[in-house]
Amino acid sequence: MITIGLVGWGDQEDLYPAGTPASRRLGMYARHFSVVEVDSSFYAILNPDTYRRWLAETPSHFSFFLKAFQGMTGHSRGRTNYNSPGEMFQAYLDSISPVVEAGRLKAILFQFPPWFDCCQEHVRQLRAIRKWMGSLPLALEFRHQSWYFPEHQEGTLAFMREQGWIHTICDEPQVGQGSVPAVLVPTDPDLTFIRLHGRNDEGWAQSGAENWREVRNLYRYSREELLEWQGKLAEIQALGTKEICMIFNNNSGGDAAMNAREMMSILGLDTAELPPRQLDLFAEGDS
């Protein structure tokens, strides 16, 4: 099985009629996709009522791929409002409990920063995180190439299998140590993630630029590039994973929704009808 979704729902203008208020967008998004990646959970540990509201706005088959809070992945470099890692992790678990209890958690994404390299200290951190998070499904995404160096790759994948981490395969620019290759190997028999960040080499590399966040994922995949993934998906499935979840993150220019729909079409998956983009002033009206 292959499921497809996007990072966030607020900015996906192609999915909504003009003027659709923010409060109605998630429900409309769920007509097009059965999963969404929640990015806001990275920036703050949300109130459980926020998740309860999202659950109420979406059908029972709809699931949430939640990003781990930045303090849990080291992005905040230790600067958080919590007295200890244990307190922070428990606050996050309490926060997401409505999604877990509803059975609508796809997984929690632990995306580590570019300085999180392959070393014993960081392996110990991953073991500790796995213990703190219990039996919840956890997806792992690296941003440092060293985890996939020839001398480390097999050990990295074996460690993920042993510890119960779901492999997150990335499609992204290859522009230095802050980029990881697309290693088409599942580590979990039930689920594998693919996150498509675009292939904007120049934007990806400009981490110090003022508009970096605006251009980092500014990219529209061509049909030929999406067709490449059709064969790659078959390769991953053949290695043994029941579900592949593709998440499009090329959002900077609003391209994710249309690329995701095109990928669904390539795979023979049903796509919901899009709303008209604007009122046709010259259409024949009622007399």
Side-chain angles (χ1 to χ4, degrees), residues 186-213:
T187 58
D188 184 275
D190 294 319
L191 183 59
T192 300
F193 283 97
I194 297 170
R195 296 183 79 234
L196 298 102
H197 300 295
R199 300 178 182 179
N200 182 353
D201 291 5
E202 184 177 355
W204 189 266
Q206 293 180 0
S207 58
E210 187 175 336
N211 66 337
W212 172 65
R213 293 193 180 279

Side-chain angles (χ1 to χ4, degrees), residues 1-2 157 161 166-171 181-196 228-247 263 267:
M1 178 172 69
I2 298 172
L157 297 171
R161 293 188 191 98
I166 300 165
H167 191 198
T168 303
I169 299 166
C170 295
D171 186 299
V183 177
L184 307 180
V185 180
T187 58
D188 184 275
D190 294 319
L191 183 59
T192 300
F193 283 97
I194 297 170
R195 296 183 79 234
L196 298 102
E228 291 173 13
W229 270 104
Q230 189 174 25
K232 292 175 181 178
L233 291 170
E235 183 178 337
I236 296 166
Q237 286 178 315
L239 291 174
T241 189
K242 293 178 184 175
E243 179 183 353
I244 299 174
C245 181
M246 300 186 77
I247 299 291
M263 191 74 231
L267 297 173

Side-chain angles (χ1 to χ4, degrees), residues 40-41 44-54 82 91-99:
S40 54
S41 57
I45 293 182
L46 307 176
N47 189 300
D49 286 340
T50 299
Y51 291 112
R52 292 188 184 99
R53 186 175 73 251
W54 292 343
Y82 299 94
Y92 184 86
L93 290 170
D94 292 342
S95 166
I96 69 170
S97 60
V99 183

Side-chain angles (χ1 to χ4, degrees), residues 258-270:
M258 298 311 290
N259 269 162
R261 285 174 57 85
E262 187 171 10
M263 191 74 231
M264 291 171 73
S265 176
I266 289 170
L267 297 173
L269 304 175
D270 292 336

Side-chain angles (χ1 to χ4, degrees), residues 214-227:
E214 298 172 17
V215 301
R216 178 176 174 84
N217 302 108
L218 182 60
Y219 191 82
R220 188 165 189 128
Y221 286 93
S222 68
R223 186 170 182 83
E224 290 71 24
E225 289 169 331
L226 295 177
L227 284 168

